[in-house]
Amino acid sequence: MKIVATGLLVFAACVYLFTRWLEDRGGDDTAGWVAYVRAASEAGMVGALADWFAVTALFRQPLGLPIPHTALIRRKKDQIGEQLGDFVEQNFMTPSVIEGQVSKLELPQRVSRWLADPKNSPRVSAEASRAIGLAGEMLQDDDIEQFIVAGMRWMAEPQWGPPAGRVLESLIEENRLAPVIQMLCDRAHDWALGSQGLIDKVIDKDGPTWAPKFLNAVVGERIHRELVDYTDKVRTDPDHDIRRAMNEFLEQFAQDLQHDPETIARLEQIKEEFIGRDEVAGAASTAWRSAKAVLGQALDDPDSTLRSNLAEAVIKVATRVSNDEPLQAKMNMWTVRVARHVANNYATEIVSVITETVRGWDAEDTSRKIELQVGRDLQFIRINGTVVGSLAGLAIYTVSVLLFS
């Protein structure tokens, strides 16, 4: 395009020189059309040169001369970056604009419909597996083990007694421990039903040596029958003395955990002994390594249960969202609120990517990049300047001839 624009300038110069030669050769007898062509070509040269200077001055100094207000992009690169950032922030990153555009996108609906499509499940599972695998590669085993141990120690720093007591007290008040007590009573009854052999063994071992075997058998059966009956009563009677005693014990234990220094100290001692054992750190290390190995194997296998379950779970959730318009409306509202929050609080930081990037560019390279992006249109400016200048020169000469000839 530079060659075309410069070619027009050269053509206008050649036409001008040719017409001047004709005028010089022909004198007063020269045809009248020559003056018109000369005026058009002369004005065309002026227009081409003026627009060449204007276009060139944007990116460099014309002919290398230190003319003021030239090489604008190279000299004002940082200011251009800042102004571009300000323009984007004021016109694109405002909360109203962001909120409106995000609301129109309806991201929850679009994403859920895409994820719910079974045709996309292989890609979903593959991308999720790749992300999980990449995270596993980035996390070093030693770092994870130290993180687990540090997390356990952090959890062990505060006293466990008072919080545990408050939780236990709340569970008792809400009657949440009744199923646990019932399960213990059921298990005790089940154990009693099958305890005949153990009872006979204990009686034979610890009973009087002079007692005959049939007497031991009768005693054992009696003990077994009484034990079964007693555990059955405890199991079926919610107001049994044993169950009330268990509730009283738990209530007292909850109070002791919160207010009894001796109980709190004993629990802290148990906690410190448990956390400080090497087996605990070793268990964390072993658990992480094993989990990582199993996870890696499952992720590498396209037909693994993990990947298929992952894809099925994503499809189920996405299907539910795509079929639930009120939920979509809520999620869309959440998305809009998040976008508005980002625009209100982080617009400057986001736009700084533009300004910092432009600031880091080389001035000469930046000028060259911009020129290559818009250079074709800029050369059309030179072409238009040549054509418009020629027409303007022709018009001006024609008017002057009509007025003064």
Side-chain angles (χ1 to χ4, degrees):
M1 292 306 299
K2 283 185 176 181
I3 293 174
V4 173
T6 304
L8 284 177
L9 171 61
V10 173
F11 175 74
C14 291
V15 171
Y16 173 75
L17 293 175
F18 178 69
T19 54
R20 288 294 299 160
W21 177 75
L22 288 177
E23 288 178 338
D24 183 69
R25 181 183 177 185
D28 296 336
D29 297 332
T30 303
W33 62 268
V34 174
Y36 289 91
V37 174
R38 175 183 56 76
S41 62
E42 183 177 10
M45 284 192 301
V46 174
L49 289 171
D51 286 343
W52 165 83
F53 180 88
V55 169
T56 303
L58 290 173
F59 304 100
R60 63 185 63 84
Q61 294 176 333
L63 302 178
L65 300 175
I67 302 173
H69 304 291
T70 58
L72 299 179
I73 293 178
R74 190 165 44 181
R75 289 191 303 105
K76 294 183 173 293
K77 170 180 67 70
D78 294 344
Q79 292 91 323
I80 292 174
E82 293 175 359
Q83 292 170 1
L84 179 60
D86 292 340
F87 176 79
V88 172
E89 182 177 0
Q90 295 172 7
N91 294 275
F92 296 95
M93 293 300 295
T94 60
S96 58
V97 173
I98 292 294
E99 184 175 349
Q101 292 300 320
V102 172
S103 179
K104 292 178 183 178
L105 286 176
E106 296 183 344
L107 286 177
Q109 182 180 7
R110 293 187 179 186
V111 174
S112 62
R113 286 181 178 176
W114 188 88
L115 292 176
D117 190 347
K119 295 186 298 184
N120 299 321
S121 60
R123 184 175 178 183
V124 172
S125 61
E127 293 296 337
S129 301
R130 188 177 295 111
I132 297 173
L134 180 61
E137 292 177 3
M138 294 173 59
L139 299 174
Q140 299 294 327
D141 292 344
D142 294 340
D143 295 336
I144 293 298
E145 293 163 10
Q146 292 178 4
F147 176 77
I148 294 174
V149 174
M152 295 177 64
R153 290 176 178 171
W154 174 78
M155 292 176 59
E157 284 184 1
Q159 287 185 339
W160 283 8
R166 288 192 293 270
V167 172
L168 181 57
E169 185 178 25
S170 177
L171 292 175
I172 294 173
E173 291 176 354
E174 297 174 5
N175 202 28
R176 298 292 182 87
L177 295 180
V180 178
I181 295 175
Q182 183 63 49
M183 182 186 67
L184 293 175
C185 294
D186 292 339
R187 294 299 298 270
H189 180 68
D190 294 339
W191 175 85
L193 290 173
S195 63
Q196 181 68 68
L198 178 61
I199 293 173
D200 292 341
K201 185 177 180 180
V202 172
I203 292 176
D204 290 340
K205 180 179 179 181
D206 298 332
T209 56
W210 51 265
K213 289 187 177 180
F214 78 89
L215 182 60
N216 289 342
V218 171
V219 173
E221 291 177 1
R222 177 72 178 186
I223 294 174
H224 177 260
R225 185 168 57 252
E226 292 294 334
L227 183 61
V228 171
D229 291 341
Y230 191 78
T231 55
D232 183 62
K233 292 178 182 178
V234 175
R235 181 175 65 91
T236 57
D237 184 6
D239 294 326
H240 196 278
D241 292 341
I242 291 296
R243 297 181 71 157
R244 286 204 300 267
M246 294 174 66
N247 286 322
E248 292 174 359
F249 167 76
L250 292 174
E251 291 174 0
Q252 184 60 45
F253 186 57
Q255 295 298 319
D256 291 342
L257 285 174
Q258 297 181 71
H259 308 294
D260 183 35
E262 184 178 352
T263 303
I264 295 173
R266 289 177 62 185
L267 181 60
E268 289 299 307
Q269 183 180 0
I270 295 173
K271 176 191 70 176
E272 292 174 1
E273 291 178 356
F274 174 78
I275 297 297
R277 292 182 67 87
D278 295 335
E279 290 83 350
V280 175
S285 174
T286 303
W288 164 248
R289 293 178 187 273
S290 301
K292 183 178 179 181
V294 173
L295 190 61
Q297 266 184 342
L299 294 177
D300 292 337
D301 183 8
D303 300 323
S304 66
T305 305
L306 175 63
R307 291 185 64 162
S308 60
N309 289 342
L310 182 62
E312 290 177 3
V314 172
I315 290 176
K316 286 181 180 179
V317 173
T319 302
R320 180 188 173 190
V321 174
S322 62
N323 295 330
D324 192 341
E325 293 185 0
L327 180 58
Q328 289 180 20
K330 286 184 180 180
M331 295 181 68
N332 197 47
M333 180 187 67
W334 298 337
T335 306
V336 171
R337 292 181 62 182
V338 170
R340 184 170 62 244
H341 176 76
V342 171
N344 278 325
N345 297 278
Y346 302 102
T348 303
E349 287 76 6
I350 295 174
V351 171
S352 66
V353 174
I354 298 176
T355 57
E356 295 299 326
T357 301
V358 174
R359 186 176 289 113
W361 287 348
D362 177 73
E364 187 68 29
D365 190 40
T366 302
S367 178
R368 180 63 178 168
K369 286 180 180 178
I370 297 177
E371 184 177 9
L372 288 176
Q373 290 296 321
V374 299
R376 184 179 180 87
D377 293 328
L378 291 176
Q379 299 309 314
F380 272 113
I381 293 176
R382 294 178 56 191
I383 295 172
N384 293 335
T386 306
V387 175
V388 173
S390 299
L391 295 175
L394 177 60
I396 293 172
Y397 183 77
T398 300
V399 172
S400 65
V401 169
L402 292 175
L403 292 176
F404 301 107
S405 296

